[in-house]
Structures are given as C-alpha cells and as structure tokens.
Amino acid sequence: MASNVLPHPRVWFITGSSTGFGRALAEAVLTHGDRLVATARHPERLQDLVRSSPDRVQLLPLDVTNPPQSQDAAAQAVAHFGRIDVLVNNAGYGLLGAVEEATDAETRQELETNFFGVLHVTRAVLPFLRRQRSGHILMMASVDGFIGETGAGIYNASKFAIEGLSEALAQDVAPLGIHVTLIEPGYFRTDFTGRSLKEAARQIEDYAQTSGVAREQVRHINGKQPGDPKRAAQAMIHVVETAHPPLRLVLGADALSRVRHKLQQVKEEVDSWEATTVSTAFAATSTRSSG
Ligand SMILES: NC(=O)c1ccc[n+]([C@@H]2O[C@H](COP(=O)([O-])OP(=O)(O)OC[C@H]3O[C@@H](n4cnc5c(N)ncnc54)[C@H](OP(=O)(O)O)[C@@H]3O)[C@@H](O)[C@H]2O)c1
C-alpha cells in the first residue's frame, strides 16, 4: 500500500513563530532536520533561528490579519523552498470577559485574528498544496474550541469557528491528498495567559461571580500551566509523520478530562431528550386513495 506520509525533509510554514507553541515548534522542526518558513509580525526577532540553520530557514513578515501579506508569504515560501508540506495556523490570542462585556470592536478583532487570519493564510497556501496533491494543515484550535466556558465566550466563538471550518475543510481536501488536524491544547506554559491575553475593558457587576471569577483564575494560572510547549511540538511532529493522522489531537491531561466530560454530558443530554427530538417530524400520513 502506498504511504501517505509526507516526504522528509519537509517544509513547515508556521504563523506566530515568535513565542510559545510557534517558537517551540520552529526549533523542534529544525532539530528534526526539516525546513522552516518562520513567519511573525516581527521576524527580525527570529534571527537566531537563521544563524543556527542558515540554509534551512526563511523568515517572513506576516500579520495574519493582512490578506495580501498572507498571499505574499505563501508565494515567497514556495519560491524559496519549492513547496510547503505543513502549514501550522498557530497565531492567535485570548480575550477574557463575559459575552456581554466584550465590545463589538474587541470581538471583531479577536475573530479577525483567530478566525479570519486562519482563513486568509489557509486560502493562500491551499493552491500550492492542491498542486502538489499533498500537505498537512495543523490548526491550532484549543480545548476552548470544543468546550465553552464563562469568561471565554468570544474566544470560544473564534475557536469553535475553527473547529467547524476544519471539519469541513478536511472533507474538501481529503481526495486531494491533504490532511487537516485540529490541535486542542489545554493550558500550556506560553505567553498566552501573559502578554498575549486581552481583557474586555468593560466589566459588569452582575457577572462578577461567573466571568469575573474566570478572569481572576486565568491570570492566576500564568506561569503554572501544566503543559510544556516543547513536548507539544514533538506531538505535532509525530502527528505529521503518521500515515493516518487524526482530525483532532487533544494535548494535555487537563484537556483530555474536560473533553471526555463534555462528550459524556452531551450524550446524556441528547439521550434524555430523545423523545422530544424525534417528535418533530410531520405526523405520518395515511396512504391516500387515488380516486
Ligand atoms: N498556551 C495555551 O494554553 C493555549 C491553549 C490552547 C490554545 N492555544 C493557542 O495557541 C496559539 C499560540 O499561542 P501560544 O500559547 O503559543 O501563545 P503566545 O506565546 O502568546 O504566542 C502567540 C503568537 O501569536 C502571534 N500573533 C498574535 N496575533 C498575531 C497576528 N495578528 N499575526 C501574526 N501573529 C500573531 C504572536 O505574535 P507577537 O509576538 O507578534 O505578539 C505570538 O507569536 C494561539 O492560537 C492560542 O489560541 C494556546
């Protein structure tokens, strides 16, 4: 049987390579002997990657909210390395606050980065993957793209959008030899709950016991998250090297227990409402006489 595994060395195209998962993956990819297109809003800060592997790294400026820059970056990557094997849609940030507290501008900015950013970059890279009839897209979603929680509603919306997009995209591109995998981490020790975390400026007293508590808890976990981004990077390399990669890869024991709990809850609720669910079809009509 023909192997579906991408050829080695691979060309990785990573968004948001400056810190956290993106940076850890960039380093791991190079250690693994692969080639790297490291994109970032400030690529000049990644010069050390070029110094470590001058022939295997291309640095490119990319703010994912800028569609023409996404097109340019994809084209430059292919002009430089001849192909892209793995696209990692990693760039993103969190927004804390109750759904009602987040303003329209705060909400749109979050979706502009976490959803439309992913869409722009994916659409820029897909023509090359289609031409190759191979490739793997890793979508850095989150356990928060599977489970909604107070204080994270807008972030949840952005990541749930990635989940739906990716499930459909995976089916669009499967016949073309392209894989899509959603990465769903729990808490990992990156800059996510530090410098990258935004908070809705408005606070409504009525949400003090729900979203307000969540705002406190998330800030408190910064620096104490159980997940190691370097180990996450190894897991992402492993999934790309698998002949039959999963649609979803949950990362971290914290995320795993939350996902299992939600699956159980959904099953119980769907089952207990079954009678109402199936009661909504038109009443069965008796066979009409023809005369
Ligand atoms: N850490 C966690 O616990 C966790 C859990 C689940 C999912 N995630 C997801 O993991 C991804 C990476 O975050 P991280 O945890 O590694 O946090 P991080 O260390 O703060 O990294 C975030 C990266 O995204 C980049 N970025 C943000 N907006 C961008 C834009 N408009 N264009 C290009 N790059 C942009 C940042 O670039 P700058 O340096 O220019 O700011 C930075 O490189 C995010 O999508 C996040 O939602 C994180």
Side-chain angles (χ1 to χ4, degrees), residues 15-22 40-42 45 62-65 89-94 109 113-114 140-143 155 159 184-193 195-196 225:
T15 66
S17 308
S18 62
T19 56
F21 287 122
R41 288 190 282 199
H42 302 284
R45 296 179 190 161
L62 178 53
D63 179 330
V64 298
T65 64
N89 278 309
N90 167 69
Y93 70 90
Q109 189 52 46
T113 302
N114 289 9
M140 186 58 81
S142 172
V143 68
Y155 179 66
K159 295 294 187 180
E184 298 178 338
Y187 278 121
F188 276 71
R189 217 168 295 173
T190 68
D191 289 357
F192 181 74
T193 51
R195 73 174 180 96
S196 295
Q225 302 94 326

Side-chain angles (χ1 to χ4, degrees), residues 13 15 21 25 86-91 114-115 117-123 126 129 136-143 158-159 161-170 173 178-185 236 239-240 246-251:
F13 183 110
T15 66
F21 287 122
L25 187 58
V86 188
L87 164 62
V88 187
N89 278 309
N90 167 69
N114 289 9
F115 176 69
V118 170
L119 190 61
H120 300 321
V121 178
T122 302
R123 284 180 171 161
L126 269 173
L129 305 189
H136 199 149
I137 302 174
L138 301 185
M139 299 288 198
M140 186 58 81
S142 172
V143 68
S158 72
K159 295 294 187 180
I162 295 302
E163 293 266 330
L165 181 89
S166 302
E167 279 195 13
L169 177 66
V173 298
I178 302 166
H179 298 296
V180 178
T181 298
L182 283 154
I183 309 294
E184 298 178 338
M236 286 187 260
V239 95
V240 161
L247 175 61
R248 287 192 172 76
L249 178 66
V250 178
L251 293 181

